[in-house]
């Protein structure tokens, strides 16, 4: 099994910054798409940002210009730099990766356990 471990969440004031990190471990052959999702209380889970194996990126309109997603393939990690944070960014943030396990051709999605981000004065 592939495991994803997230870190970097916490409490920050409006206008502040946080950097989330996610590291994958296991019998990984190749990681294709990496992405960050979030879910706020009473709301559906939404896509925040994603990055392809070719480093193309996509962002939710609500975070464009404020968040940056990046990946380090040699370390099997994906980061999310969050700047100019707003109270509406408060949510549990989840890391996900589309993975081909070693010696296999099938692609599978794996999820982290989530990390809480709270933006409040």
């Amino acid at each position: 099994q592939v495991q994803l471990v997230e870190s970097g969440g916490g409490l920050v004031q409006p206008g502040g910054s946080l950097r989330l990190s996610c590291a994958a471990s296991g019998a990984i052959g190749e990681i294709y798409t990496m992405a960050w999702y979030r879910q706020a209380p009473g709301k559906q889970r939404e896509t925040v940002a994603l990055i392809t194996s070719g480093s193309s990126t996509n962002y939710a309109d609500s975070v464009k210009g404020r968040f940056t997603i990046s990946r380090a393939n040699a370390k099997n990690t994906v980061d999310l730099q969050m700047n100019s944070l707003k109270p509406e960014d408060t949510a549990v943030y989840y890391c996900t990766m589309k993975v081909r396990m070693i010696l296999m051709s099938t692609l599978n999605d794996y999820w982290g356990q989530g990390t809480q981000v709270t933006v409040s004065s």
Side-chain angles (χ1 to χ4, degrees):
Q1 263 276 350
V2 173
Q3 278 194 304
L4 273 54
V5 179
E6 298 150 323
S7 62
L11 175 65
V12 65
Q13 296 184 74
S17 298
L18 284 174
R19 188 176 184 89
L20 306 182
S21 296
C22 177
S25 61
I28 298 171
E30 187 175 1
I31 302 176
Y32 293 84
T33 303
M34 297 180 174
W36 288 93
Y37 289 72
R38 69 185 181 187
Q39 187 166 28
K43 298 182 179 179
Q44 296 188 67
R45 185 179 299 174
E46 64 175 342
T47 306
V48 177
L50 63 84
I51 184 167
T52 69
S53 59
S55 296
S56 296
T57 59
N58 290 98
Y59 298 92
D61 288 340
S62 59
V63 307
K64 286 181 180 177
R66 300 189 297 121
F67 291 11
T68 302
I69 187 171
S70 60
R71 63 190 288 169
N73 293 330
K75 298 189 293 184
N76 295 143
T77 60
V78 59
D79 291 355
L80 184 69
Q81 177 66 46
M82 305 185 294
N83 298 327
S84 302
L85 284 162
K86 306 174 181 179
E88 49 263 46
D89 294 319
T90 297
V92 177
Y93 284 70
Y94 298 90
C95 166
T96 185
M97 302 185 187
K98 187 176 293 293
V99 177
R100 178 184 62 78
M101 297 182 71
I102 193 167
L103 302 180
M104 295 185 180
S105 60
T106 303
L107 302 181
N108 295 105
D109 294 323
Y110 293 90
W111 291 78
Q113 76 287 346
T115 184
Q116 176 70 230
V117 172
T118 302
V119 184
S120 179
S121 299

